[in-house]
Amino acid sequence: MDALATRKMQFLYALRSKGVTDTRVLTAMEQIDRGHFVTGLFADRAYEDMPLPIGCGQTISQPSVVGLMSQALDIQPRDTVLEVGTGSGYQAAILSKLARRVYTVDRHRQLVREARTIFTDMDLTNITAITGDGSHGLPDQAPFDRIIVTAASEDPPGPLLAQLKIGGIMVVPVGQSDAVQSLIKVTRLEVGFDYHELRAVRFVPLLEGLAKE
Ligand code: SAH
């Protein structure tokens, strides 16, 4: 086995040992090569279980956190998913293997542009990447079966809660941006919401408005 194949095998082993056990999620993470989303200085660390810097001062999440969030969403094949925080596009690419359609929004035009190019190169045709302030959601495409927020806010944004279908699930890191946050799974009930705390995480903050490039 060559060195790259060994690293990829260790990558999947690390995911399993950190609690990513859903076979659909593991298969998706086997299919989507993280190496496409990490370029430049850190390219040779793409298969390590750690967050890494991408452009615009942002980070690509730790693979085990991507796996655990994807697993918590319990995505069904016919689902429409909204992701807030496209970043490198890695999480969206995983989601695209699990769902029927994925909308992903980022406030950095440049990140959206780069992610779109990767999606096209990888032939991931069911992802729509949009530049915008994702904390308002996407009213034109709502409601969503699943919503994933990959930037931390002090509370789950109200417009996102409103754009979740009944029975739908949202996973969102909640807490101060400079501290450890809690990853929360929110399920929309017939009346109200159920909140379940999953684990401690650390994400960049959810910021208002479009980024000045
Ligand atoms: N999911 C990404 C990692 C996201 S990093 C990946 O797989 O690589 C968090 C991202 O959230 C950053 O790219 C940041 O620009 C974006 N972000 C922060 N606030 C936002 C907002 N209000 N709307 C949309 N994107 C936002």
Side-chain angles (χ1 to χ4, degrees), residues 37 54-56 58-61 66 83-92 105-108 111 132-136 150-151 203-209 211:
F37 300 87
I54 53 172
C56 304
Q58 306 302 317
T59 53
I60 178 171
S61 309
V66 169
E83 179 192 31
V84 176
T86 311
S88 67
Y90 178 60
Q91 172 78 71
V105 186
D106 204 289
R107 58 192 290 281
H108 280 279
L111 292 177
D133 181 346
S135 56
H136 304 304
T150 62
F203 277 88
V204 298
L206 188 73
L207 298 173
E208 266 181 40

Side-chain angles (χ1 to χ4, degrees), residues 174-187:
V174 169
Q176 303 281 346
S177 62
D178 52 355
V180 170
Q181 306 123 16
S182 286
L183 187 61
I184 308 286
K185 174 176 171 175
V186 184
T187 306

Side-chain angles (χ1 to χ4, degrees), residues 164-200:
L164 197 56
K165 281 188 193 168
I166 289 173
I169 299 171
M170 170 157 79
V171 175
V172 53
V174 169
Q176 303 281 346
S177 62
D178 52 355
V180 170
Q181 306 123 16
S182 286
L183 187 61
I184 308 286
K185 174 176 171 175
V186 184
T187 306
R188 183 161 197 173
L189 308 174
E190 292 274 350
V191 180
F193 296 87
D194 175 65
Y195 294 86
H196 177 71
E197 201 173 323
L198 296 174
R199 54 167 277 167

